[in-house]
Amino acid sequence: MKPVILTAALAFATAAHAEAPITTAYEGSFDDAAFAVETAIVGQGLVIDYVSHVGEMLNRTGEDVGSDVMIFKEADIFLFCSAVVSREVMEADPMNIAHCPYGIFVAEDADGAVTIGYRDYPDGPMEKVEALLAEIVKEATEN
């Protein structure tokens, strides 16, 4: 019975540790925000590995899973890595591989509000990743 209690405690501790994403409101359209984020990522000399069209998937599959709720009008996640920052954080702790690739999302909710954001990473070496993401979002929202 003790392993069950330990497993439940670890699951709760992991869920309790999860932080809310770091978000910034965007004054403009979803398309403008997505373009600004893409431009800011590429402007850092980074390559976007993949764009996940989460909003399209949710809208397409809602009926299939028995829901008529529109969560997002549109939502994309831009996935990328930085060789420099990734090497630095993984040299500090190879298990930081769990956080790669990094993602910045752009979402327009059902009310038309556009938000740009990213995950909150653990304290320590991963703060360098957060600083990079913050810099990209700042550039995207200020231009």
Side-chain angles (χ1 to χ4, degrees):
M1 190 163 208
K2 286 182 183 179
V4 172
I5 293 170
L6 178 62
T7 302
L10 288 174
F12 177 74
T14 301
H17 178 69
E19 298 291 330
I22 298 163
T23 61
T24 302
Y26 184 83
E27 298 299 324
S29 71
F30 172 86
D31 289 336
D32 288 346
F35 182 76
V37 167
E38 181 178 359
T39 301
I41 292 168
V42 172
Q44 290 283 328
L46 304 170
V47 175
I48 297 169
D49 295 320
Y50 182 73
V51 179
S52 177
H53 303 288
V54 176
E56 288 179 18
M57 178 274 299
L58 291 170
N59 291 333
R60 183 183 67 248
T61 61
E63 187 177 325
D64 296 337
V65 298
S67 177
D68 62 356
V69 175
M70 177 189 287
I71 301 169
F72 302 109
K73 287 183 181 177
E74 296 189 70
D76 288 345
I77 305 170
F78 295 84
L79 300 171
F80 58 94
C81 255
S82 162
V84 172
V85 175
S86 295
R87 175 163 291 281
E88 192 171 338
V89 301
M90 287 181 221
E91 283 181 1
D93 180 354
M95 291 301 101
N96 282 331
I97 191 172
H99 304 292
C100 196
Y102 315 122
I104 295 178
F105 68 84
V106 178
E108 179 180 1
D109 67 19
D111 296 325
V114 178
T115 303
I116 299 173
Y118 53 91
R119 302 171 53 175
D120 181 30
Y121 289 96
D123 291 340
M126 291 303 295
E127 291 174 86
K128 292 179 179 168
V129 172
E130 273 194 41
L132 172 64
L133 299 178
E135 186 176 334
I136 291 169
V137 170
K138 181 179 178 187
E139 183 179 327
T141 57
E142 290 182 350
N143 291 332

